[in-house]
Amino acid sequence: MSSSFGTLFRVVTFGESHGPAVGVVVDGMPPAIRVDVADLQRELDRRRPGQSALTTQRDEADRVEVLSGLFEGVTLGTPIAMMVRNQDTRPQDYEALREVFRPGHADYAWQQKYGVRDHRGGGRSSGRETVGRVAAGALAKLALATIGVSIVGGTVQVGDVVAAWRDWDEAERNPVRCPDPAAAIEMAQLIVIARDAKDSVGGVVEVVARGVPAGWGDPTMDRLDALLGADMLSIPSTRGVEIGDGFALAARRGSETNDVLEGGRYLSNHAGGISGGISNGADVVVRVAIRPASSIGQEQTATTTQGESTPLAIVGRHDPCICPRVVPVAEAMLALALMEAWLRQRALRGRDR
Amino acid sequence: MSSSFGTLFRVVTFGESHGPAVGVVVDGMPPAIRVDVADLQRELDRRRPGQSALTTQRDEADRVEVLSGLFEGVTLGTPIAMMVRNQDTRPQDYEALREVFRPGHADYAWQQKYGVRDHRGGGRSSGRETVGRVAAGALAKLALATIGVSIVGGTVQVGDVVAAWRDWDEAERNPVRCPDPAAAIEMAQLIVIARDAKDSVGGVVEVVARGVPAGWGDPTMDRLDALLGADMLSIPSTRGVEIGDGFALAARRGSETNDVLEGGRYLSNHAGGISGGISNGADVVVRVAIRPASSIGQEQTATTTQGESTPLAIVGRHDPCICPRVVPVAEAMLALALMEAWLRQRALRGRDR
Amino acid sequence: MSSSFGTLFRVVTFGESHGPAVGVVVDGMPPAIRVDVADLQRELDRRRPGQSALTTQRDEADRVEVLSGLFEGVTLGTPIAMMVRNQDTRPQDYEALREVFRPGHADYAWQQKYGVRDHRGGGRSSGRETVGRVAAGALAKLALATIGVSIVGGTVQVGDVVAAWRDWDEAERNPVRCPDPAAAIEMAQLIVIARDAKDSVGGVVEVVARGVPAGWGDPTMDRLDALLGADMLSIPSTRGVEIGDGFALAARRGSETNDVLEGGRYLSNHAGGISGGISNGADVVVRVAIRPASSIGQEQTATTTQGESTPLAIVGRHDPCICPRVVPVAEAMLALALMEAWLRQRALRGRDR
Amino acid sequence: MSSSFGTLFRVVTFGESHGPAVGVVVDGMPPAIRVDVADLQRELDRRRPGQSALTTQRDEADRVEVLSGLFEGVTLGTPIAMMVRNQDTRPQDYEALREVFRPGHADYAWQQKYGVRDHRGGGRSSGRETVGRVAAGALAKLALATIGVSIVGGTVQVGDVVAAWRDWDEAERNPVRCPDPAAAIEMAQLIVIARDAKDSVGGVVEVVARGVPAGWGDPTMDRLDALLGADMLSIPSTRGVEIGDGFALAARRGSETNDVLEGGRYLSNHAGGISGGISNGADVVVRVAIRPASSIGQEQTATTTQGESTPLAIVGRHDPCICPRVVPVAEAMLALALMEAWLRQRALRGRDR
């Protein structure tokens, strides 16, 4: 069950970084929704490695193959299985790591958990697992679009550079995927500096859903915030999530932050579109903290599986800042959570909205 | 399903703020664990209203009654139902709100969701729902204690006052539940100022689990971080959650933040005890952003159910800062997530740790 | 999780036979459905002991108390908790059984499973657990009635006496709940003979849902048949379930048993209203095999917890044939499965039917 | 969620009869279990078409490809995805059925459910979906074998021919998979007669698990019987399931059917290895009623999608009796249910048995 997300819109990813393939089964896609495989591929292309000088140079075409669930261009309502074969694997890069737990990585915790481990490129804990999430998210986006819900996102912080505004169209035009073009340039410089120092740098990704009707989510355990908390923190390398004004609210007063509704619209959106766990009709705004990537070329102190310390400089092809490639993943996860909330609301009320 | 948390350790809460009772059923408690009802009551007492001048003056004894699942002082392995009767309800305080959506509250979103609403004290969306969580968490704490896992917590920020250190024993000695006694005094002053201004103030709560063995959690969808993200953001009034160094990692480099393992122990804990979604043996550290309470006595602009604006000054008994009372709830939710992760790991490996 | 049924319409029962109370939480009841507590009580009265000379003489009024989820006579869409206090418990009847595993009962398997046991009246494995099911089923029946789905049921076999026809109104008029009044008399005689011989006798219960629209259920794992299989075989003392012509189909040809659809109606109903796992618009017909009750007054050979054989004649108050009291339970379980299927279909299609 | 079975051992199948592929993802396989792909293939070969003159002549090699979850011959504890490409599809055989609802099939109910349909060979409702179940079951069998649990099965009734005894080794030696070789000959004759009459015939399949320790399953909703009821009735063309003596118990007395435990062993097994929902250490015995296959060559009355009656003689390649090919599927499903129960018991008690 550990690789499943969602109940009504259930997504199960599979695959190791250097195994035969990665992929996903989406169980719960509503029927009769038009799906063009090119739409799925476009999302995967946004996630794939080698897009720019700022990302890893591993070369994966990431061509998606749909194995089931589509018929004559529309969904059947049955599970949609999608697969991407791994191609540019270099297991030899990892042979030296067979007996080593890398700092910052899951290697040690993994060994304690499973007692067995695919040491090649992180195996299942590789960011490559997110291929399946993005493919599933692409389906979710198509379904949500049928009722006018759309999703955008971008990198809003890298190191100490913070985006000052949000022009979401701009985000797709620069390699950092920053909605503030001036900040984007500074961010790119920071990433290059980190890369050249054989280091990595963290950041923050923001995703926004527009057109979400009021009424999705639940008041207690399955609050929409809670669904988002689970799905954002399930993305590798995330260390925090906040909704609307998030942690900044800790320093504020209620009189400043209660959103006022007037004429069916909120005059402000401190709550990030969610009141008491339920969408309130305003944009749903989520930010995710991304840690600096663990794989760096600088020499660090690692531990062998025998418990001895050993110096380690990680070779292989890695991202100095994963934010640009997390953006499509975070959008996908937002789409998955919204699909789940949408279908549950349909179950509750027996109507589309 | 919306009021359930967990799969193997499944908790279902029930009850409205001004209905007959609130409570919980815990389905999945392991058998043969000694439970003293006084242990459960002690946790509920930490959450109950009227503890100090800093909290709401609603007077609820919150006496817990165990309806099932215990026999001769030990758990049977069957569902444990626990109930607290509501006593000091004043529905008349809320009659004026029958046709009003309060700012910052879930009222409007709720109406859109369900089409019907218990307007008395927020009904199901009241913080009173957390009585069941705390009772369930008390059971989880008892179970976790049998393998040496313990949980502490406190308020680490109120407004712009931030705790400078962590003395968890200290936290239970001041009404703010702050682990830094000097900061506690400042925090209390801030809360009194907000209260006297008929306003409210936000904060941050931190909870820590000690003794968690390496290997709990999962590498993908059900990462331990994800379980914590869901369960913390399911607490009313939370707007963000972070693990370990959290959002601060966005501004850091990998060379600074990769925790180094030496002799089976981590030399630092930037990761907050979780590597790649799996506990790594270090303390699990979680912080939760708490928004200022929505119910304030100042006049605000509300909306009637007919869509017209109306001035509103909320009467009734409310908390100017809910952090002190969120502490036991956040501890409880941490305990629930850890129980779930523990039982799943037992399922995976067929042994206790 | 072991005491939960359903996902969207989730029912969690709690309580031991001789503990403080038995009850249920129903999480997923749609909002704005009118509920009269008298409707719930009526169903419980059909299940309660002491209804006739054919049933156990334990005297339980089984008054239901609703703890949450109702407001001004309608459902809120929040969890509905219902509780019945145990009154006529006679734990002393069971003291002699503390160290004995009764033949035919779960005692031995239970001890192997949990390592601890409430020996009083079977504890959690008592038929008394079904109080919560019946209360939940009463809610489900009210919800289903809003779209024209109704449920009937009765005892169609006791020992070798088989009902020759189905007059469901008749079923409520005789103590066996048999839809064939002539057979009902023979069945009652058989039950009296068994009782007087300090023995028990088995039977078959049939339940039928009318008005189920085509399209509920799923084609693979969650076939409507599968939901029914799980929920019927979760009733204590059931040993088999069949849909439509069931086991009789093993001896037939396809040319005889393919139901023909004409003008939107099926001309026959060998399939029991389910084609390929999906309701087809015909009556849903389910039969459940009921074993003879395990508790009998005749002397049998039991085993002590030390593994030694010991003669045992069970005292206490027991049903010589549980079929009449299983009828409302099986109806309730059918209602629960249909609620689940209905809500899932609403999620899939976004409309009521 | 409709194509998922299980919680801790979660199986999700995918694929349409005439789509690109069928397959399965198994999420929850314990780590470090040795898996030889030949073991998986052997089970698929038992299910595949064209094994004998008694089965459909569709020619599918059904070569399984493992896409993830195995590393150096052992399981990683991560999802295991397995795929079989569809090869001998003849969509043209089905073109005439695009606008026709076949008698006895799910076509009409499916259209009502989804509003869109893959008419080719039943699409998702084809028995071909069970390829994934058998592959998953093969993994489950390997895992169960590590603790001494084994599964056997066979056809015990075809039409009115009933197997008189159980020699499970014999079952694999005749094309009917009957454990009684004399009955096997009669059964084969009956199948040939049905086939030559362009008709089909029903039957009963029995599966048995040996070595199941006492303590698996649960006392209420998730009784082991209930898990088995759901998983057996999720197999296409099943119409009933019974445990142990099943429906025959309806005609018996308690004094005849209470199994007596002596020296830690049951002297009889009327209960089919399950007491009060929990395994009791005896063989788990399950029988499944199989309806005659719906696809027959005789002319029948079908309905067009416009609601008009039309004569129909189904061409294409079909099984006159599906029992022989259901045997490996029912064994697989028994294995899946037992895996689920085993892992849950490990979660409950924290030890292997």
Side-chain angles (χ1 to χ4, degrees), chain C residues 165-178:
Chain C
W165 75 81
R166 307 285 187 265
D167 175 348
W168 295 114
D169 292 332
E170 186 59 43
E172 286 301 298
R173 293 193 200 110
N174 62 71
V176 188
R177 289 209 166 87
C178 177

PDB file of all heavy atoms in Angstrom, chain C residues 165-178:
ATOM      1  N   TRP C 165     -42.389 -20.441  -1.476  1.00  0.00           N
ATOM      2  CA  TRP C 165     -42.575 -19.164  -2.164  1.00  0.00           C
ATOM      3  C   TRP C 165     -42.190 -17.983  -1.295  1.00  0.00           C
ATOM      4  O   TRP C 165     -41.785 -18.146  -0.156  1.00  0.00           O
ATOM      5  CB  TRP C 165     -43.976 -19.036  -2.755  1.00  0.00           C
ATOM      6  CG  TRP C 165     -45.067 -18.770  -1.774  1.00  0.00           C
ATOM      7  CD1 TRP C 165     -45.405 -17.560  -1.238  1.00  0.00           C
ATOM      8  CD2 TRP C 165     -45.983 -19.721  -1.239  1.00  0.00           C
ATOM      9  NE1 TRP C 165     -46.468 -17.710  -0.399  1.00  0.00           N
ATOM     10  CE2 TRP C 165     -46.862 -19.011  -0.376  1.00  0.00           C
ATOM     11  CE3 TRP C 165     -46.156 -21.101  -1.391  1.00  0.00           C
ATOM     12  CZ2 TRP C 165     -47.879 -19.662   0.319  1.00  0.00           C
ATOM     13  CZ3 TRP C 165     -47.174 -21.724  -0.695  1.00  0.00           C
ATOM     14  CH2 TRP C 165     -48.017 -21.013   0.150  1.00  0.00           C
ATOM     15  N   ARG C 166     -42.342 -16.790  -1.900  1.00  0.00           N
ATOM     16  CA  ARG C 166     -41.862 -15.579  -1.252  1.00  0.00           C
ATOM     17  C   ARG C 166     -42.990 -14.563  -1.139  1.00  0.00           C
ATOM     18  O   ARG C 166     -43.341 -13.912  -2.103  1.00  0.00           O
ATOM     19  CB  ARG C 166     -40.747 -14.926  -2.095  1.00  0.00           C
ATOM     20  CG  ARG C 166     -39.579 -15.838  -2.472  1.00  0.00           C
ATOM     21  CD  ARG C 166     -38.681 -16.082  -1.285  1.00  0.00           C
ATOM     22  NE  ARG C 166     -37.469 -16.812  -1.640  1.00  0.00           N
ATOM     23  CZ  ARG C 166     -37.319 -18.142  -1.531  1.00  0.00           C
ATOM     24  NH1 ARG C 166     -38.296 -18.902  -1.095  1.00  0.00           N
ATOM     25  NH2 ARG C 166     -36.169 -18.704  -1.852  1.00  0.00           N
ATOM     26  N   ASP C 167     -43.559 -14.463   0.056  1.00  0.00           N
ATOM     27  CA  ASP C 167     -44.492 -13.368   0.330  1.00  0.00           C
ATOM     28  C   ASP C 167     -43.852 -12.556   1.450  1.00  0.00           C
ATOM     29  O   ASP C 167     -43.978 -12.891   2.627  1.00  0.00           O
ATOM     30  CB  ASP C 167     -45.852 -13.930   0.748  1.00  0.00           C
ATOM     31  CG  ASP C 167     -46.807 -12.814   1.166  1.00  0.00           C
ATOM     32  OD1 ASP C 167     -46.364 -11.650   1.345  1.00  0.00           O
ATOM     33  OD2 ASP C 167     -48.008 -13.109   1.324  1.00  0.00           O
ATOM     34  N   TRP C 168     -43.135 -11.503   1.036  1.00  0.00           N
ATOM     35  CA  TRP C 168     -42.273 -10.831   2.020  1.00  0.00           C
ATOM     36  C   TRP C 168     -43.069 -10.150   3.119  1.00  0.00           C
ATOM     37  O   TRP C 168     -42.568  -9.971   4.239  1.00  0.00           O
ATOM     38  CB  TRP C 168     -41.320  -9.857   1.330  1.00  0.00           C
ATOM     39  CG  TRP C 168     -40.351 -10.564   0.427  1.00  0.00           C
ATOM     40  CD1 TRP C 168     -40.262 -10.479  -0.933  1.00  0.00           C
ATOM     41  CD2 TRP C 168     -39.348 -11.516   0.826  1.00  0.00           C
ATOM     42  NE1 TRP C 168     -39.270 -11.295  -1.408  1.00  0.00           N
ATOM     43  CE2 TRP C 168     -38.693 -11.953  -0.353  1.00  0.00           C
ATOM     44  CE3 TRP C 168     -38.948 -12.047   2.054  1.00  0.00           C
ATOM     45  CZ2 TRP C 168     -37.654 -12.884  -0.335  1.00  0.00           C
ATOM     46  CZ3 TRP C 168     -37.913 -12.979   2.075  1.00  0.00           C
ATOM     47  CH2 TRP C 168     -37.279 -13.389   0.887  1.00  0.00           C
ATOM     48  N   ASP C 169     -44.285  -9.741   2.837  1.00  0.00           N
ATOM     49  CA  ASP C 169     -45.093  -9.167   3.913  1.00  0.00           C
ATOM     50  C   ASP C 169     -45.370 -10.221   4.982  1.00  0.00           C
ATOM     51  O   ASP C 169     -45.405  -9.932   6.175  1.00  0.00           O
ATOM     52  CB  ASP C 169     -46.431  -8.652   3.352  1.00  0.00           C
ATOM     53  CG  ASP C 169     -46.215  -7.444   2.452  1.00  0.00           C
ATOM     54  OD1 ASP C 169     -45.225  -6.712   2.667  1.00  0.00           O
ATOM     55  OD2 ASP C 169     -47.023  -7.243   1.528  1.00  0.00           O
ATOM     56  N   GLU C 170     -45.561 -11.439   4.515  1.00  0.00           N
ATOM     57  CA  GLU C 170     -45.828 -12.549   5.417  1.00  0.00           C
ATOM     58  C   GLU C 170     -44.662 -12.778   6.391  1.00  0.00           C
ATOM     59  O   GLU C 170     -44.864 -13.156   7.552  1.00  0.00           O
ATOM     60  CB  GLU C 170     -46.068 -13.815   4.588  1.00  0.00           C
ATOM     61  CG  GLU C 170     -46.499 -15.040   5.376  1.00  0.00           C
ATOM     62  CD  GLU C 170     -47.799 -14.789   6.153  1.00  0.00           C
ATOM     63  OE1 GLU C 170     -48.742 -14.171   5.587  1.00  0.00           O
ATOM     64  OE2 GLU C 170     -47.844 -15.195   7.331  1.00  0.00           O
ATOM     65  N   ALA C 171     -43.463 -12.517   5.901  1.00  0.00           N
ATOM     66  CA  ALA C 171     -42.275 -12.849   6.699  1.00  0.00           C
ATOM     67  C   ALA C 171     -42.292 -12.170   8.065  1.00  0.00           C
ATOM     68  O   ALA C 171     -41.869 -12.757   9.067  1.00  0.00           O
ATOM     69  CB  ALA C 171     -41.001 -12.469   5.937  1.00  0.00           C
ATOM     70  N   GLU C 172     -42.801 -10.949   8.113  1.00  0.00           N
ATOM     71  CA  GLU C 172     -42.792 -10.245   9.400  1.00  0.00           C
ATOM     72  C   GLU C 172     -43.922 -10.700  10.315  1.00  0.00           C
ATOM     73  O   GLU C 172     -44.007 -10.262  11.459  1.00  0.00           O
ATOM     74  CB  GLU C 172     -42.861  -8.731   9.178  1.00  0.00           C
ATOM     75  CG  GLU C 172     -41.563  -8.135   8.669  1.00  0.00           C
ATOM     76  CD  GLU C 172     -40.375  -8.378   9.616  1.00  0.00           C
ATOM     77  OE1 GLU C 172     -40.418  -7.906  10.752  1.00  0.00           O
ATOM     78  OE2 GLU C 172     -39.420  -9.065   9.198  1.00  0.00           O
ATOM     79  N   ARG C 173     -44.804 -11.559   9.796  1.00  0.00           N
ATOM     80  CA  ARG C 173     -45.963 -11.966  10.604  1.00  0.00           C
ATOM     81  C   ARG C 173     -45.757 -13.249  11.382  1.00  0.00           C
ATOM     82  O   ARG C 173     -46.606 -13.637  12.177  1.00  0.00           O
ATOM     83  CB  ARG C 173     -47.184 -12.113   9.700  1.00  0.00           C
ATOM     84  CG  ARG C 173     -47.662 -10.800   9.122  1.00  0.00           C
ATOM     85  CD  ARG C 173     -49.032 -10.906   8.491  1.00  0.00           C
ATOM     86  NE  ARG C 173     -49.237  -9.794   7.574  1.00  0.00           N
ATOM     87  CZ  ARG C 173     -49.281  -9.904   6.240  1.00  0.00           C
ATOM     88  NH1 ARG C 173     -49.169 -11.086   5.657  1.00  0.00           N
ATOM     89  NH2 ARG C 173     -49.444  -8.822   5.480  1.00  0.00           N
ATOM     90  N   ASN C 174     -44.670 -13.977  11.110  1.00  0.00           N
ATOM     91  CA  ASN C 174     -44.437 -15.193  11.879  1.00  0.00           C
ATOM     92  C   ASN C 174     -43.063 -15.131  12.540  1.00  0.00           C
ATOM     93  O   ASN C 174     -42.167 -14.444  12.053  1.00  0.00           O
ATOM     94  CB  ASN C 174     -44.600 -16.439  10.993  1.00  0.00           C
ATOM     95  CG  ASN C 174     -43.598 -16.498   9.852  1.00  0.00           C
ATOM     96  OD1 ASN C 174     -42.417 -16.727  10.076  1.00  0.00           O
ATOM     97  ND2 ASN C 174     -44.065 -16.286   8.625  1.00  0.00           N
ATOM     98  N   PRO C 175     -42.900 -15.822  13.668  1.00  0.00           N
ATOM     99  CA  PRO C 175     -41.666 -15.658  14.456  1.00  0.00           C
ATOM    100  C   PRO C 175     -40.415 -16.179  13.763  1.00  0.00           C
ATOM    101  O   PRO C 175     -39.303 -15.811  14.155  1.00  0.00           O
ATOM    102  CB  PRO C 175     -41.958 -16.432  15.749  1.00  0.00           C
ATOM    103  CG  PRO C 175     -43.081 -17.365  15.412  1.00  0.00           C
ATOM    104  CD  PRO C 175     -43.887 -16.693  14.348  1.00  0.00           C
ATOM    105  N   VAL C 176     -40.578 -17.018  12.746  1.00  0.00           N
ATOM    106  CA  VAL C 176     -39.403 -17.512  12.016  1.00  0.00           C
ATOM    107  C   VAL C 176     -38.973 -16.503  10.959  1.00  0.00           C
ATOM    108  O   VAL C 176     -37.890 -16.601  10.415  1.00  0.00           O
ATOM    109  CB  VAL C 176     -39.730 -18.881  11.344  1.00  0.00           C
ATOM    110  CG1 VAL C 176     -38.491 -19.506  10.746  1.00  0.00           C
ATOM    111  CG2 VAL C 176     -40.365 -19.824  12.342  1.00  0.00           C
ATOM    112  N   ARG C 177     -39.852 -15.564  10.648  1.00  0.00           N
ATOM    113  CA  ARG C 177     -39.648 -14.617   9.548  1.00  0.00           C
ATOM    114  C   ARG C 177     -39.535 -15.351   8.212  1.00  0.00           C
ATOM    115  O   ARG C 177     -38.670 -15.055   7.388  1.00  0.00           O
ATOM    116  CB  ARG C 177     -38.409 -13.751   9.769  1.00  0.00           C
ATOM    117  CG  ARG C 177     -38.580 -12.735  10.872  1.00  0.00           C
ATOM    118  CD  ARG C 177     -37.737 -11.493  10.661  1.00  0.00           C
ATOM    119  NE  ARG C 177     -38.197 -10.445  11.560  1.00  0.00           N
ATOM    120  CZ  ARG C 177     -37.774 -10.290  12.822  1.00  0.00           C
ATOM    121  NH1 ARG C 177     -36.883 -11.119  13.317  1.00  0.00           N
ATOM    122  NH2 ARG C 177     -38.255  -9.329  13.557  1.00  0.00           N
ATOM    123  N   CYS C 178     -40.439 -16.294   8.001  1.00  0.00           N
ATOM    124  CA  CYS C 178     -40.418 -17.060   6.752  1.00  0.00           C
ATOM    125  C   CYS C 178     -41.461 -16.494   5.790  1.00  0.00           C
ATOM    126  O   CYS C 178     -42.612 -16.263   6.184  1.00  0.00           O
ATOM    127  CB  CYS C 178     -40.719 -18.527   7.038  1.00  0.00           C
ATOM    128  SG  CYS C 178     -40.795 -19.525   5.538  1.00  0.00           S
TER     129      CYS C 178
END
